[in-house]
Amino acid sequence: MTTITAAENASAVAGRRREPVKGSRSSTTTALLMLAPAGVLLITFLLIPIGLTFGLAFTNARLISPRPAEFIGVDNFVRLFEDDTFWASLRNTIIFAAVIVPVQSACALGLALLVNVKMRGTNFFRTVYFLPVVTSMVVVSMLWLFMYQKNGLINQVLTTFGIEGPDWLGDPKTALLAIILMSAWQAMGFHMVIWLSGLQTIPGELYEAAELDGAGTWEKFRYVTWPGLRATRTFILITITISAFALFTQVNIMTQGGPLDSTSTVVLMAVRTGFQQQQTGYASAISLVFFVLVLAVTLVNRYLTRDKDAR
């Protein structure tokens, strides 16, 4: 009798285990319903455009044309690599990224170190440095457009020191430099906040130990602060690099790629080709090359800033 009862109990327990848990299934359904809107937006505005870009890059599709698109193979890419405007745009994009990445990250780190102190007025300066970030890039570009004019604010200030300012946006020698300065100033506050968050994760005990060992300001930064910001600087370098290669808004508003293509960028060329010239297939080829370029740069950047001690 005891054996039979034990067997019945074991069978009942096994049956209960096989029964579906209604609460768990309900939670899964609720989670899927909550993810559905984001999933639809992701598919509609990211995955589908990427797929269309890959497909249209090998056709002669136009934005508005009575003739259907035809497959032309790699003709768009051959045309692209023979286009002098593309090489000028690529050169400008690389120069912009090569300058903006170290300058903007270094200046943002300097600001973060300055405001990472406990004293009166620190929150005010943090807010002031962050204000350009929350201001629309269109508004910032228009303001600096007036400041860069021949008789604008910047040249007026230079005149007081006996310096005749150049035509910042009208001279091919200074146009790209002017956009670099404005871009670095506008986004510096955003990366300052990221550096600041990284600084505040470093334990204070490390600085106390460094002071007991007689370390000065530079030694504490070199052996405590900089190693503690490893993950932060990797994130910042990658985000700044991607943003630098995506340069478009300020160029489109301030110079439209001129003068003489001295400020033209790959993104500006793709947008202008696709919407103004309505050459959708050619613009898709430009976008595809840009995607491969950014992906390669990001992977190299990630490799160079990897944690070599990680296993």
Side-chain angles (χ1 to χ4, degrees):
M1 181 70 67
T2 304
T3 305
I4 296 175
T5 303
E8 291 177 351
N9 290 335
S11 177
V13 171
R16 286 196 298 269
R17 289 178 179 176
R18 287 193 297 267
E19 291 180 359
V21 181
K22 296 182 179 181
S24 176
R25 180 173 297 178
S26 176
S27 299
T28 303
T29 303
T30 303
L32 292 176
L33 290 175
M34 295 179 67
L35 288 174
V40 171
L41 293 176
L42 183 67
I43 294 173
T44 304
F45 295 103
L46 183 63
L47 298 182
I48 292 178
I50 290 176
L52 289 175
T53 300
F54 275 85
L56 293 175
F58 300 94
T59 68
N60 62 351
R62 297 184 64 86
L63 189 63
I64 300 177
S65 176
R67 295 184 300 177
E70 298 178 356
F71 179 80
I72 59 175
V74 296
D75 289 356
N76 284 330
F77 297 95
V78 174
R79 174 188 171 188
L80 178 64
F81 294 137
E82 294 177 350
D83 192 342
D84 293 335
T85 302
F86 168 73
W87 291 111
S89 301
L90 182 60
R91 182 192 66 240
N92 295 333
T93 303
I94 294 176
I95 292 175
F96 180 85
V99 175
I100 205 73
V101 170
V103 170
Q104 186 169 297
S105 57
C107 292
L109 177 58
L111 291 178
L113 291 172
L114 289 176
V115 300
N116 189 36
V117 293
K118 295 181 179 179
M119 60 179 297
R120 181 175 298 180
T122 301
N123 292 331
F124 169 77
F125 286 104
R126 290 179 183 178
T127 304
V128 170
Y129 295 148
F130 193 75
L131 277 178
V133 179
V134 298
T135 306
S136 170
M137 177 59 78
V138 175
V139 175
V140 173
S141 299
M142 294 182 66
L143 290 175
W144 281 75
L145 178 62
F146 290 109
M147 293 172 59
Y148 276 137
Q149 289 181 355
K150 186 66 177 177
N151 58 348
L153 177 62
I154 295 178
N155 284 348
Q156 292 293 333
V157 173
L158 293 176
T159 302
T160 60
F161 295 97
I163 303 174
E164 183 179 356
D167 185 3
W168 292 96
L169 299 177
D171 189 345
K173 297 179 180 179
T174 59
L176 186 59
L177 174 62
I179 292 178
I180 290 175
L181 294 176
M182 187 274 291
S183 302
W185 172 83
Q186 191 273 338
M188 197 180 302
F190 174 73
H191 297 99
M192 177 201 70
V193 172
I194 300 177
W195 281 122
L196 187 61
S197 65
L199 289 172
Q200 294 179 350
T201 61
I202 302 176
E205 293 81 1
L206 297 178
Y207 292 102
E208 295 176 1
E211 290 180 358
L212 292 176
D213 290 337
T217 303
W218 168 249
E219 286 77 13
K220 288 189 290 185
F221 174 81
R222 180 180 179 183
Y223 296 108
V224 179
T225 304
W226 189 245
L229 293 173
R230 175 178 295 173
T232 306
R233 67 173 180 259
T234 299
F235 174 78
I236 285 180
L237 290 176
I238 291 177
T239 54
I240 294 180
T241 301
I242 294 176
S243 299
F245 276 92
L247 174 65
F248 170 73
T249 304
Q250 49 268 57
V251 173
N252 187 45
I253 293 176
M254 300 174 72
T255 63
Q256 292 80 46
L260 302 176
D261 291 330
S262 61
T263 59
S264 179
T265 64
V266 178
V267 176
L268 178 68
M269 180 182 177
V271 173
R272 186 165 50 191
T273 302
F275 292 98
Q276 294 182 2
Q277 302 174 8
Q278 299 186 3
Q279 301 179 32
T280 311
Y282 189 41
S284 299
I286 300 173
S287 301
L288 187 57
V289 171
F290 173 74
F291 169 76
V292 174
L293 175 65
V294 173
L295 178 62
V297 171
T298 303
L299 292 176
V300 171
N301 197 343
R302 184 68 184 89
Y303 175 78
L304 295 176
T305 56
R306 73 191 188 284
D307 188 355
K308 299 180 181 179
D309 297 330
R311 294 290 185 268

